[in-house]
Structures are given as C-alpha cells and as structure tokens.
C-alpha cells in the first residue's frame, strides 16, 4: 500500500493530479518544493534515485525498505495474526527550492529511532505484550511545509482497515502553525497522537495529543533552576523572533514569565527565517549593538542572553556575537530545544567571541555516553539496540532518534494496555488506546531512552517524572555547580 499526491496551485486554487506508480497513486507538491508526500508502508520511496554521493538519502531509503520488510513480516505471521497500525507523521523530505525546517540528517535520525522502537516493541515485552498484538509502522510524509489539509488527513485515515486499524499517530514534526491544525483534525477523527519534539505551549493540553517533549515553560523552569544554582549570572535580556511562530513566541513568553528576576533589560527583537523566507546574514546587527550597550551599563551590566529563536538562525547570531565590539565582556547564552546540539558547528565562533552556551533539551546523549552513571535507566539498552541495527551512535547527539523512539514507545505501551481489555477476536480501537495514556503511571511507566516517562492526568498530556538535561554546547560533559541536580518535571501520578 502506498499513497502520495501532486498538488498544483493555479490562480489561488488547488488542483490535485493523481500519478500512478507501480504500487499506487503518488502525490508531488508544486514548484519550487517538488516533494513526494503522502503515506506508504515503506514500499514507495519519498527520496527516489539519490545521487551516488548522497549518503543520507540512501540511508533513508534503506530504512524505508527495512520498515516495509517488518510490516510484511507482521502481516504474514500466522502465529500472531492480530496487528494494528501506527503512523509516523512528519517531514520526510526537504524542499528542492527553499530552506526546510528539519534537515535530512534529522529526518534520518528520527527514522532510525522510530524503527528501533518498532523492532523492540515487536520482539520483546519492554513496551507491553508483543504476543497479544503486533505493530505495523506506516510513513506519512507531510513535506517540508508540514501539510495539514483535509485531503492529506483523509489519505492518512484511508490506511485504516477494520481488522487492522490506525490506532495512533506519532512524530508530528516541529512546532509550526500546521502542527496545531493537524492535531486538531486528527483529534476530530478520534486518533491519539504522541509528538516527539513539539515544545510550543500552545500544543500543551490539546485533545488526544500527548508529547514526550518538555514544554517551553518546562524548559524555562529548568533554566531558572540552573541560574538559581549558578548565582554568578544576574543580569539578562531576551532575544526573540517577531515572526508568528508557535515555538519562538511561546518560548519568549516562557522566558518572560519564568526568568523575570533575571531580566534587567527590555526584550530585543529580530525577524528570523521562515519556511518560505530564509534568514538574512545581518539580521542580528541591531540586536548585537544593543547587547553591547547593555553589557557596558554601569548598573547591573548584562551577562546573560536568553535566546528565544530557532536553531536554524543561531549560526548568524553566533557570527554576529563573535564580531561584537564588546567581546572582551564574557557572555552566557541560554537556549532550549531538542536538536539544539546541531548548533555545535558554531562552537569556534562562540569560543573566539568569549561566549558560552547552555541549553535545555529532552535528552543528553553525549553526556550520558561520557558518564553512564548519569544516564536514565534504559538508555544503555536503547543504545545497544540502536547499534545492533547498524546505526552510528554519533547519530544520537541531536536527540531526534531518542525523541522519536520514545514517542513510538509511548504509543506502543498505550496500545498494549488497551489490548489487555479487548477480547482476542475483537479489534483494538483508537478510542481505547487514547483512554490508556493516563494509565501510563505507577506500574506502567514507558521505559524510554530519555527516562521512565509517565503521563498523569494532571500533567497537560506531557511526559512527567523525567529530567530535563542541560548541556554546554561544544563539550562532551557539562560542568555544573557543586551539588547541582538537574530539573525534574513533577509527576504527581507516579
């Protein structure tokens, strides 16, 4: 089974043309993006015919084939005929003509983590009884613009079968406006969802939407916890993106509310890149001039910058800070996001600019690998499974594999709990799966790579009981104040 589409915009309207491949209709987005999108069991490649030197797309294609093989095995297993479908919904391609919010390397790592969770779920009892119900994984590519129109949602739902229904959707890409739109439309159809990296506070507490990612408010609380322990950073300023972006706007507000005692200067604003307009190299010129003015203030001179922007724009910020006039004054930049580790490419600029960067994230693979005693209890088992499947542990650094593994694992646990109350001859239903997430507490935590995750009913449908790690960018192991313990999201349902 495979589905995709060709969407062409003409005079403000959308014309859908169906292209038939060897295994089903395929849809392709209009120019300049030209991406195959839709839903497949792995049999149709969203990145066909990569160049010989395009190793990332080749790896993505091999992974899709592996997913197809596992789906066939599940369907043909006479000993365990009961199976349901879980959809990984996210961008699985990048635009040919515009910048994309999620790069190909992150897409590859997300697929690796999801596939690792699929294999662990189907071959062990770590995420519930695999003999009661097996899981198939379908891939729904939204494309780099994260499509959320009704036709796309309908195609996802058409993959459901009476005996083998779609009972959960995981992934959901990054926190862009269409993420909320897609979540609303899937919730209307009764589908439970588990997002992997969406931290925008506008996505907290949504109907049928759970998340393994901390919220921006929780990230800000973790940074406040760090600042209170440091005691040497006292005077801060928020640098924030003025675009209507759910991630950056709610992060800026979270900083404003949670870090108020450390804010000594008015917010500084810039216009960051969007999915349709890349950032300009000089976008931080006025911001950095004002930072230097604050750093040279006689009363409480600036020592800390809270960055409420996307990591894709951060390299321009690092370059601008490196060349600032006040570079003799040391600065500490605090940020937060899953995937912020990709900013390590700016480490040399930051070092030469007398700047240290700390960020809150959903996991700390480099730090946990360097000191296993600090790692969550199931991180080593996940890493072993990841490596047995042939994946490079260096790919864990950005956190995308871990986040998507844990999102799938959470859905698998809810599915298996739901199956416990359904007779063998009756199909599992999405509504039953949704009803089990509040029961993922106490005796039934999700044994995630990022920690033992629970979903108590009073936690806004975000995973609780887990640490929010802080990392220093460009280091293997972060040095913290003596006696410092990292922030833990409260879990009253434990």
């Amino acid at each position: 089974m495979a589905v995709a589409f060709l969407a062409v915009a003409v005079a403000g309207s959308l014309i859908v043309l169906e292209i038939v491949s060897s295994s089903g209709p395929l849809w392709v987005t209009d120019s300049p993006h030209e991406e195959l999108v839709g839903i497949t069991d792995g049999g149709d490649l969203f990145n066909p015919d990569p160049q010989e030197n395009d190793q990332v797309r080749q790896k993505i294609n091999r992974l899709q084939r592996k997913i197809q093989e596992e789906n066939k095995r599940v369907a043909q297993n006479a000993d365990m005929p009961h199976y349901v479908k879980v959809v990984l919904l996210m961008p699985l391609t990048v635009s040919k003509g515009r910048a994309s919010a999620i790069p190909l390397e992150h897409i590859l790592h997300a697929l690796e983590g999801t596939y690792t969770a699929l294999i662990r779920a189907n071959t062990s009892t770590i995420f519930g009884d695999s003999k009661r119900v097996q899981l198939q994984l379908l891939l729904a590519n939204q494309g780099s613009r994260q499509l959320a129109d009704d036709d796309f949602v309908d195609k996802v739902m058409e993959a459901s079968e009476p005996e083998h229904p779609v009972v959960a959707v995981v992934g959901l890409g990054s926190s862009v406006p269409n993420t909320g739109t897609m979540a609303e439309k899937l919730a209307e159809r009764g589908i439970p969802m588990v997002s992997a990296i969406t931290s925008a506070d506008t996505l907290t507490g949504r109907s049928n939407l759970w998340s393994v990612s901390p919220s921006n408010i929780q990230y800000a609380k973790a940074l406040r916890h760090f600042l209170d322990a440091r005691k040497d950073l006292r005077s801060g300023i928020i640098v924030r993106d003025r675009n209507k972006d759910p991630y950056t706007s709610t992060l800026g507000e979270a900083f404003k509310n949670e870090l108020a005692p450390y804010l000594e200067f008015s917010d500084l604003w810039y216009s960051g890149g969007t999915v349709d307009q890349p950032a300009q190299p000089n976008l931080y010129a006025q911001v950095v001039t004002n930072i230097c003015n604050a750093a040279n203030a006689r009363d409480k001179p600036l020592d800390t910058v809270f960055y409420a922007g996307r990591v894709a724009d951060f390299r321009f910020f690092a370059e601008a800070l490196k060349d600032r006039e006040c570079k003799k004054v040391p600065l500490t930049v605090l940020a937060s996001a899953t995937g912020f580790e990709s900013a390590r490419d700016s480490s040399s600029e930051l070092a030469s600019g007398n700047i240290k960067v700390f960020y809150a994230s959903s996991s700390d693979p480099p730090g946990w690998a360097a000191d296993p005693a600090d790692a969550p209890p199931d991180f080593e088992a996940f890493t072993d499974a990841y490596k047995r499947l042939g994946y490079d542990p260096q790919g864990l650094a950005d956190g995308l594999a871990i986040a998507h593994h844990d999102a799938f694992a959470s859905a698998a646990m809810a599915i298996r709990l739901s199956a416990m109350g359904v007779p063998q001859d009756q199909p599992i239903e999405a509504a039953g799966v949704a009803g089990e997430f509040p029961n993922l507490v106490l005796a039934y935590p999700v044994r995630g790579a990022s920690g033992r995750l629970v979903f108590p009913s009073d936690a806004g449908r975000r995973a609780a009981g887990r640490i929010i790690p802080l990392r220093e960018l460009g280091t293997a192991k972060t040095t913290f104040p003596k006696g410092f313990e990292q922030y833990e999201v409260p879990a009253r349902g434990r």
Side-chain angles (χ1 to χ4, degrees):
M1 178 277 298
V3 179
F5 61 85
L6 169 61
V8 182
V10 179
S13 62
L14 190 69
I15 298 176
V16 178
L17 304 177
E18 185 173 276
I19 300 175
V20 178
S21 74
S22 59
S23 57
L26 296 177
W27 294 6
V28 180
T29 57
D30 60 316
S31 179
H33 309 303
E34 299 176 4
E35 298 171 81
L36 281 173
V37 297
I39 184 166
T40 177
D41 65 354
D44 283 304
L45 302 177
F46 292 124
N47 296 277
D49 304 320
Q51 300 296 315
E52 289 186 7
N53 62 347
D54 192 348
Q55 295 183 2
V56 176
R57 283 186 175 87
Q58 290 176 17
K59 290 179 179 179
I60 289 174
N61 289 349
R62 287 196 291 270
L63 242 174
Q64 280 200 225
R65 296 300 192 203
K66 288 289 188 182
I67 290 168
Q68 183 189 32
E69 290 174 9
E70 176 63 8
N71 287 337
K72 286 182 177 179
R73 185 199 67 77
V74 167
Q76 296 168 1
N77 189 345
D79 294 331
M80 290 183 285
H82 298 287
Y83 66 88
V84 295
K85 300 174 182 180
V86 178
V87 176
L88 173 63
L89 173 75
M90 63 175 289
L92 295 170
T93 54
V94 296
S95 171
K96 288 186 177 181
R98 293 285 188 272
S100 298
I102 300 181
L104 274 174
E105 290 81 3
H106 284 189
I107 292 170
L108 171 63
H109 299 155
L111 281 169
E112 289 175 345
T114 307
Y115 179 67
T116 302
L118 172 69
I119 297 302
R120 298 182 80 198
N122 279 341
T123 60
S124 75
T125 58
I126 188 171
F127 307 131
D129 186 1
S130 59
K131 293 182 179 180
R132 173 62 180 85
V133 59
Q134 291 271 282
L135 308 176
Q136 282 190 334
L137 175 63
L138 305 184
L139 304 176
N141 178 26
Q142 292 180 283
S144 58
R145 271 57 199 161
Q146 290 192 210
L147 295 173
D149 58 83
D150 288 331
D151 287 340
F152 186 88
V153 178
D154 289 343
K155 289 300 182 184
V156 172
M157 295 309 301
E158 286 171 10
S160 193
E161 300 172 300
E163 295 298 319
H164 308 295
V166 170
V167 296
V169 170
V170 300
L172 280 82
S174 58
S175 299
V176 299
N178 269 2
T179 308
T181 301
M182 178 60 80
E184 181 178 351
K185 291 181 177 181
L186 288 172
E188 289 173 352
R189 289 161 170 82
I191 302 297
M193 299 155 277
V194 186
S195 72
I197 62 173
T198 56
S199 62
D201 293 300
T202 51
L203 298 173
T204 299
R206 291 283 192 109
S207 176
N208 265 24
L209 176 61
W210 288 264
S211 180
V212 298
S213 170
S215 68
N216 282 338
I217 289 175
Q218 291 169 347
Y219 278 142
K221 288 181 181 292
L223 294 177
R224 170 67 185 270
H225 183 68
F226 174 66
L227 286 170
D228 290 349
R230 280 282 301 257
K231 301 186 184 304
D232 60 325
L233 300 175
R234 302 183 179 87
S235 180
I237 195 168
I238 300 174
V239 172
R240 56 193 303 187
D241 190 341
R242 64 169 56 90
N243 285 312
K244 294 181 178 179
D245 180 330
Y247 165 68
T248 58
S249 61
T250 61
L251 182 59
E253 288 306 300
F255 285 169
K256 194 84 171 175
N257 294 327
E258 300 295 334
L259 304 175
Y262 293 92
L263 297 176
E264 296 293 337
F265 301 92
S266 298
D267 299 352
L268 300 178
W269 298 81
Y270 70 98
S271 295
T274 67
V275 292
D276 292 311
Q277 180 62 48
Q280 301 302 310
N282 64 345
L283 79 164
Y284 292 108
Q286 293 89 346
V287 167
V288 170
T289 297
N290 278 327
I291 284 176
C292 278
N293 185 274
N296 290 323
R298 290 185 178 181
D299 184 31
K300 293 187 177 180
L302 181 73
D303 53 36
T304 310
V305 176
F306 304 110
Y307 179 74
R310 288 206 174 261
V311 67
D313 297 335
F314 187 78
R315 63 187 178 94
F316 296 124
F317 191 40
E319 291 171 0
L321 288 174
K322 178 194 67 173
D323 297 326
R324 72 190 188 282
E325 291 185 1
C326 60
K327 66 188 304 180
K328 290 184 179 180
V329 178
L331 289 177
T332 298
V333 176
L334 298 183
S336 61
T338 298
F340 202 88
E341 181 66 17
S342 58
R344 65 183 179 277
D345 295 341
S346 299
S347 294
S348 59
E349 287 90 346
L350 294 165
S352 64
N354 201 11
I355 295 165
K356 289 187 175 182
V357 177
F358 296 85
Y359 67 91
S361 190
S362 58
S363 61
D364 182 10
W368 295 341
D371 191 350
D374 288 342
D378 300 292
F379 176 71
E380 183 178 4
F382 158 75
T383 304
D384 289 344
Y386 184 83
K387 290 189 292 187
R388 279 198 305 271
L389 291 170
Y391 305 136
D392 184 352
Q394 295 298 318
L396 298 177
D398 57 35
L400 272 291
I402 288 175
H404 285 81
H405 169 277
D406 288 359
F408 187 94
S410 299
M413 279 287 293
I415 291 167
R416 264 59 185 276
L417 285 188
S418 175
M420 291 170 63
V422 177
Q424 286 277 359
D425 60 345
Q426 296 294 318
I428 295 170
E429 296 182 352
V433 174
E436 292 298 339
F437 277 92
N439 291 328
L440 297 179
V441 295
L442 298 170
Y444 297 104
V446 179
R447 295 173 61 181
S450 64
R452 296 283 171 94
L453 309 180
V454 294
F455 294 88
S457 56
D458 59 357
R461 296 192 176 91
R462 289 191 181 268
R466 53 92 56 80
I467 297 294
I468 297 182
L470 262 75
R471 284 193 46 71
E472 182 177 357
L473 193 68
T475 64
K477 181 68 177 175
T478 305
T479 302
F480 294 111
K482 186 176 180 180
F484 176 76
E485 293 185 1
Q486 303 205 58
Y487 180 78
E488 181 177 344
V489 178
R492 288 187 289 275
R494 277 196 299 191

